[in-house]
Amino acid sequence: MTTTRFAPSPTGYIHVGNLRTALMNYLIARKAGGTFILRIDDTDPERSKEEYVDAIKQDLEWLGLNWDRVERQSERLDRYAEAAEKLREIGRFYEAFETPTELDLKRKKQLNMGKPPVYDRAALNLSDAEKEALRAERGNGVWRFKLNHERIEWTDGILGDISIDAASVSDPVLIRGDGQVLYTIASVVDDTEMGVTDVVRGSDHVTNTATQIQIIDALGGQCPNFAHHSLLTGPQGEALSKRLGTLALRDLREQGVQPMALLSLMARLGSSDPVELRADMAELVDGFDLSRFGAAPTKFDVQDLFPLTAKHLQSLTLSEVSDAVADAGVPPELAEPFWAMARENITTLADLKGWWELCRDGAEPLIDDEDRDFVSEAMALLPEGPFDGETWGDWTKAVKEVTGRKGKGLFMPLRKALTGMERGPEMATLLPLLQVIRARN
Ligand code: GLU
């Protein structure tokens, strides 16, 4: 059965880049009627925080990306220790004692000689006595997985055929000197034991994947299908990594971005299919095809989320936004006509408040000098309330007859006088709201 996972490290809030990974894995599982696991990669006790675990769950819930179960790496440390033991037994695991400074020096030397900065495996030549001495001097070493120097090949769900020379990659450290198990092995053990069939993650993981394929083989596991999506860049193609902190999902929520707008964009960005606003998750699942995604860096512009949000809001009925309408201060008896007026004129729900204030308090009239007499004349013709959907038409007809003005010269000064703005809602739908308020005050 298709099983996927989203595996964030709870060391911060998740952002649009993480969402791309989460969404692709989610959609693959749902499309196949499979299982979607939320895996918390919390093997780093210092950097992992419970508040981020909660925040990640809240963010996914907000988007409707529901998971079938949660797994936590911190609860599976014995499984990783077992796998490490197995690697030791089969001779694929060795202890190394270089300090970070020594490693750095080695890398610099290699680069100076025009060689790739790959770990030279000096630790493999240490005798037991030498190791003992180093351990006494420096404490426990790190444990490195001994790669087989051959080509590692797989067909990537997005990148196509990949072939990496294992000799060009350093033997990965899987356990730190302090005993902390690192992601590379923890992830392999989990993916294998949890029956993960498909792994989509960022292309920054491609080298990891190569080493993980060898670790999976060494442990006798079954390799999942791997796919690596391109990384997001800013609108100009600039690296987004530094700015991702400001693109946390909770910031977008705060800015009024609607889940369907965000999901619709992220499910298509970087694919050869057009971005289209989807009505619901079922449509997203239906229209998702991993093979349509390309390897090129994907431009992300946060501004694209707002027209999609506006479009999504336009499609909603009052019952779907009644809380927001009430929060804006609109009394229940006016909620229906207010929403009918406002839905076409907002970008986010935060804009409701402004429209309600206009209805409630009126606006500072905007009247050009040459329109002053005309506006006074027109105002004198404004019928007694209550107003309804016909009032605007009846009134402007009467004004036209008396003043001889027509078209824009007739409507625009009235709109500006009543709303203080040159653009905005249909006056026919706005006017009754203005009047009702006036009548009530
Ligand atoms: N915790 C890893 C990360 O956030 C997971 C990567 C993976 O999907 O394997 O980068």
Side-chain angles (χ1 to χ4, degrees):
M1 184 173 72
T2 299
T3 301
T4 66
R5 77 325 189 257
F6 172 50
S9 304
T11 55
Y13 297 121
I14 50 174
H15 49 65
V16 283
N18 303 123
L19 170 60
R20 195 144 183 255
T21 311
L23 182 59
M24 288 181 174
N25 285 294
Y26 175 87
L27 293 174
I28 288 172
R30 293 291 171 256
K31 194 155 190 168
T35 301
F36 177 62
I37 301 173
L38 172 59
R39 191 182 84 199
I40 305 294
D41 281 7
D42 55 353
T43 52
D44 182 342
E46 262 147 50
R47 294 179 59 227
S48 301
K49 298 252 172 349
E50 215 42 45
E51 68 174 282
Y52 293 127
V53 176
D54 294 339
I56 289 166
K57 289 180 180 170
Q58 282 164 12
D59 290 345
L60 295 178
E61 273 166 2
W62 170 60
L63 291 166
L65 299 182
N66 45 354
W67 52 89
D68 298 298
R69 64 175 205 269
V70 180
E71 297 280 358
R72 295 190 67 138
Q73 292 197 323
S74 57
E75 291 166 3
R76 295 175 44 81
L77 299 178
D78 53 335
R79 317 291 309 159
Y80 312 141
E82 228 170 82
E85 202 41 53
K86 190 163 175 194
L87 293 178
R88 264 180 215 112
E89 275 164 21
I90 59 172
R92 297 289 297 275
F93 221 21
Y94 63 96
E95 199 175 6
F97 296 89
E98 288 89 349
T99 62
T101 320
E102 284 168 350
L103 289 174
D104 207 38
L105 217 68
K106 285 190 190 204
R107 273 194 290 270
K108 283 195 182 121
K109 270 193 197 157
Q110 286 167 315
L111 287 171
N112 278 344
M113 295 190 312
K115 288 188 184 163
V118 176
Y119 177 61
D120 61 7
R121 296 182 158 177
L124 278 178
N125 303 320
L126 295 172
S127 67
D128 286 348
E130 284 168 322
K131 283 190 212 166
E132 211 37 69
L134 281 164
R135 219 175 274 128
E137 185 196 314
R138 301 182 171 186
N140 288 333
V142 301
W143 285 85
R144 287 184 184 265
F145 174 72
K146 191 169 168 236
L147 290 166
N148 283 336
H149 283 177
E150 59 196 19
R151 295 205 79 87
I152 305 168
E153 300 187 328
W154 75 93
T155 302
D156 192 280
I158 294 174
L159 303 176
D161 287 337
I162 302 278
S163 171
I164 291 179
D165 180 3
S168 69
V169 181
S170 294
D171 287 340
V173 174
L174 303 188
I175 298 184
R176 290 201 324 201
D178 62 4
Q180 190 183 309
V181 174
L182 294 182
Y183 151 79
T184 311
I185 185 164
S187 186
V188 157
V189 172
D190 291 345
D191 286 339
T192 311
E193 292 188 1
M194 294 172 193
V196 170
T197 55
D198 297 82
V199 172
V200 184
R201 55 192 175 192
S203 50
D204 49 338
H205 279 289
V206 166
T207 310
N208 269 338
T209 298
T211 65
Q212 287 182 335
I213 285 174
Q214 280 208 6
I215 302 170
I216 295 170
D217 273 354
L219 292 171
Q222 176 82 30
C223 259
N225 303 314
F226 285 106
H228 296 83
H229 59 70
S230 63
L231 299 184
L232 295 179
T233 70
Q236 255 49 264
E238 71 276 22
L240 207 55
S241 48
K242 289 216 180 63
R243 283 187 31 223
L244 281 174
T246 64
L247 294 171
L249 301 190
R250 50 195 46 224
D251 297 330
L252 300 179
R253 176 164 73 227
E254 199 60 27
Q255 289 171 47
V257 169
Q258 286 285 313
M260 275 323 288
L262 184 52
L263 294 170
S264 298
L265 183 67
M266 297 319 282
R268 283 288 173 83
L269 206 61
S271 85
S272 47
D273 292 319
V275 172
E276 289 160 334
L277 180 69
R278 296 297 174 151
D280 53 30
M281 198 59 95
E283 273 190 20
L284 273 179
V285 171
D286 209 43
F288 180 74
D289 183 352
L290 189 72
S291 70
R292 310 281 290 171
F293 284 80
T298 301
K299 286 186 183 152
F300 170 80
D301 187 346
V302 70
Q303 291 311 326
D304 292 343
L305 292 168
F306 293 99
L308 287 167
T309 290
K311 198 167 170 199
H312 170 74
L313 291 174
Q314 268 173 37
S315 74
L316 299 182
T317 61
L318 175 63
S319 63
E320 293 167 291
V321 292
S322 51
D323 286 350
V325 171
D327 287 349
V330 182
E333 67 275 17
L334 293 181
E336 194 73 59
F338 175 81
W339 176 243
M341 175 280 290
R343 65 199 268 174
E344 311 278 339
N345 293 283
I346 52 174
T347 304
T348 72
L349 289 172
D351 297 338
L352 289 176
K353 198 158 173 277
W355 288 120
W356 172 244
E357 282 167 2
L358 172 72
C359 294
R360 187 189 58 201
D361 306 332
E364 186 63 36
L366 190 63
I367 305 173
D368 295 338
D369 279 345
E370 68 267 26
D371 291 330
R372 224 160 266 289
D373 294 344
F374 164 73
V375 170
S376 313
E377 229 179 329
M379 287 305 165
L381 292 167
L382 195 61
E384 289 290 303
F387 290 173
D388 60 25
E390 308 296 313
T391 310
W392 171 257
D394 294 344
W395 177 41
T396 48
K397 196 164 159 236
V399 174
K400 180 178 171 185
E401 271 160 22
V402 174
T403 64
R405 285 216 195 189
K406 55 183 196 252
K408 203 175 167 200
L410 168 68
F411 300 120
M412 187 53 88
L414 297 181
R415 170 183 286 283
K416 280 163 47 178
L418 287 169
T419 69
M421 287 176 284
E422 289 187 5
R423 258 177 297 275
E426 287 283 338
M427 288 305 293
T429 44
L430 184 61
L431 194 59
L433 285 158
L434 291 173
Q435 172 56 20
V436 168
I437 310 317
R438 240 201 242 174
R440 296 163 105 236
N441 284 346

